[in-house]
Every structure is written in C-alpha cells, then in structure tokens.
Amino acid sequence: MPHDPVPASPRVVVLAGGLSHERDVSLRSGRRVAEALRSAGVDVSVHDVDADLVPALVETRPDLVWPLLHGASGEDGSVRDVLELLDVPSLGTGPRASRVAWSKPIAKTTVTRAGLATPEFVTLPQSLFRELGAGRVMDAVVAKLGLPLVVKPSRGGSALGVTLVRTAEELPGAMVACFAYGDTALIERAVEGVEVAVGVVDLDGSPVALPAVEVVTDGPYDYDARYNPGRTEYFAPARLPDDLAARAAETAVAAHQVLGLRHLSRTDLIIDADGQPWFLEVNVAPGMTETSLFPQGAEAGGHHLPTLYRRLVEAGLSGR
C-alpha cells in the first residue's frame, strides 16, 4: 500500500523512562535524541510510560512514536503491542521480533541456527536451584562449561546483574547478583578477546553496519563502567584489522536480519584471538546517552546524529 508523504516537520513522541531498572538511562537517551531531532526540524515531545500515555496518544495522534525504553516492557515488545493496538506507527523493531531479541537464550539459539557463533550456555531458573540443590547444580555447570563463566539475567540490559566468574567459589555470589534482576539466569562460557559493539541502521530496507566500537575497561563492563565517564575507554572505530572489522560488521547485519529487526539495533560481540566473532546479545533499543555505543559508532561512520536520527524517523514514517 502507498504511504502518505513524510511531513516536512513530523510530529514525533519519544518514549523515555518507564519503571525498569534502566529508567535513568532511558530518560538520558530520550533527552539526547529529542534534542537532536529538534535541531533537525522535527516536532518532538518526550513522554513517560504512565497512565497518561494512552490518552495522550489517542488525543494527539502523533506521526510516529520512537520508543527509547530500556529493560522490561520497553524492549520485550509489550509497549509496541499497545502502539499497534492504537494504530500509532512506531520506529524500530516490531513487538514479535522484539520478544525474540529480548530473551538472550532465544536470540542466541536463533542466531546459532543461522550459522553464527555464540558461547555455549545454559539457562536455569532460580526455582531449579532450590529444588535440586544449588551446590549440585553449580558443580554440574562448572564441570560442563568450565571456567571462566559469565552469569547474567536471561533478560535485561545495561549489564545489570552480570558477573564474570573466574573461580568456582565466585559462582554462588554471581547467582545471587543475577537473581536480583530476574528469576532466570543465563550462564555462558566466557570468551577472551576484544569486546566490540556494532550498530546497524536500516534506512531503506537494507541494513548497514556502523563501525564497531571497542570497549576497554579497568574491570568488568558493568553498569557503572557503562554510564559513568572515566572507567571505560572507547575506540571508535575499533582497533581491528580490516578483515576482522568486516567480519564483525557481517555478523551484526546477519543477526539483525535473522532476528527480524528493523531500523536500528546494536549487537555485542567478542572477537577472539583467532578472529572469530562471538555473538553475545542484541539490543533493539540501544542506549543513546553521551557514553552509549550506538551514537559513537554512528559518529565514527561520519554520520551527523541529528541528520541520522531524522533519516530513521523518515524511514519509520515511510513504512520502510
């Protein structure tokens, strides 16, 4: 079906906030994107996810909604389901593909079937530890996967509840930290190598990778390291040979396509000493703060952020 022409000054509602553990990050992302869009001639308002949202959308009927919500409800597809119910166009991945990407075990299984490499893992609910005995289950995990391990909630972002486990004695504490943010843990074999994040933009139906951003920290790349300047050093573009940079880009684009993502995404990878990119997870609503990886990759690729964000809005409005 033909789409209406894109208005000269489209009316866009940026959704930011919500009630997840990542609320503060979402608010910062929303403010920065709104400022960039305004400078590009877009009529922008920022709205929280609260009891006033549905009436406001019904009354104002914006041209487009850009969900910049991180964590539960923002990335699990549920808010996007509501937008579809209201027949309000939104930027980004649709609700069904969002649900697949939001679940790290399902996303990892999906990309593996498409031939991408991902670290071996198990997914265990907290209830299983109580029923079978935590000690026995953890012994089995270490015997099967070895050490070091990474423990993380099976859903969620911003590295909340994520721990690098180098000894068996560290595993119980890592499980406690993980279960503070979700009732199911993903435990995967830790891969040593260069940690990179690769953004993908899909402006005309053909996804294109942004330059990889390399992440170097003074410890684990946890929540504090991600959002408080000083603890982490970024290299954009990543310090990779051309062939490895190309492999990282191909992996991110393949994940974007296999998972059915749209408009923008960010894939997190580890590139090992043999040059193999390992898929860790994908984000359908990447952070857009001053230290976030997606905008760093965009700028490294020569994009002017206000122009890029407006082009993403136009892609959403045109139905591409």
Side-chain angles (χ1 to χ4, degrees):
M1 292 179 62
H3 291 271
D4 294 333
V6 175
S9 182
R11 294 178 302 113
V12 174
V13 171
V14 169
L15 297 186
L19 295 176
S20 82
H21 297 295
E22 298 168 76
R23 173 179 173 82
D24 288 345
V25 180
S26 172
L27 290 170
R28 287 161 62 183
S29 291
R31 283 194 296 268
R32 290 185 70 83
V33 167
E35 290 167 2
L37 287 175
R38 288 189 188 105
S39 72
V42 178
D43 180 0
V44 186
S45 60
V46 180
H47 207 296
D48 208 331
V49 178
D50 53 26
D52 296 328
L53 176 60
V54 170
L57 294 176
V58 169
E59 180 180 350
T60 61
R61 305 303 301 180
D63 296 312
L64 188 75
V65 171
W66 186 338
L68 275 166
L69 302 164
H70 310 316
S73 79
E75 294 180 76
D76 66 0
S78 55
V79 167
R80 295 172 190 271
D81 268 325
V82 173
L83 295 175
E84 284 196 357
L85 289 172
L86 298 175
D87 200 25
V88 175
S90 65
L91 180 71
T93 299
R96 284 157 290 283
S98 292
R99 278 190 283 275
V100 172
W102 169 244
S103 172
K104 296 182 181 74
I106 295 175
K108 282 163 67 76
T109 300
T110 303
V111 301
T112 299
R113 289 173 179 164
L116 303 185
T118 190
E120 187 178 0
F121 70 98
V122 294
T123 309
L124 301 172
Q126 186 174 13
S127 58
L128 195 67
F129 283 82
R130 291 195 299 267
E131 292 165 3
L132 299 182
R136 291 184 179 89
V137 174
M138 286 188 284
D139 288 345
V141 168
V142 173
K144 175 66 173 177
L145 297 181
L147 291 165
L149 297 166
V150 175
V151 178
K152 62 181 77 172
S154 67
R155 297 176 174 88
S158 291
L160 292 165
V162 177
T163 306
L164 173 63
V165 174
R166 295 197 177 275
T167 68
E169 291 73 25
E170 294 172 348
L171 187 53
M175 302 306 301
V176 171
C178 175
F179 289 137
Y181 292 97
D183 60 5
T184 302
L186 185 151
I187 309 170
E188 68 183 2
R189 180 176 288 144
V191 176
E192 303 285 350
V194 179
E195 185 164 359
V196 299
V198 184
V200 173
V201 290
D202 193 359
L203 301 173
D204 57 6
S206 300
V208 176
L210 302 172
V213 179
E214 180 182 348
V215 179
V216 180
T217 67
D218 58 1
Y221 188 42
D222 55 17
Y223 183 91
D224 180 69
R226 287 174 183 235
Y227 298 110
N228 291 306
R231 277 202 51 206
T232 303
E233 191 173 5
Y234 303 99
F235 295 90
R239 299 169 299 177
L240 295 172
D242 290 347
D243 59 331
L244 295 190
R247 290 191 71 183
E250 290 165 3
T251 302
V253 169
H256 185 95
Q257 292 175 312
V258 167
L259 293 168
L261 310 186
R262 187 177 63 172
H263 298 143
L264 74 164
S265 68
R266 192 199 74 229
T267 294
D268 297 338
L269 306 168
I270 295 283
I271 301 176
D272 68 17
D274 295 325
Q276 172 67 58
W278 293 84
F279 173 92
L280 300 180
E281 59 188 81
V282 71
N283 195 313
V284 300
M288 299 290 191
T289 74
E290 62 278 4
T291 60
S292 292
L293 301 168
F294 183 93
Q296 288 191 61
E299 290 181 321
H303 290 281
H304 177 241
L305 292 181
T307 302
L308 175 63
Y309 295 165
R310 176 166 180 127
R311 288 185 65 197
L312 286 167
V313 165
E314 290 170 350
L317 287 168
S318 66
R320 291 198 296 265

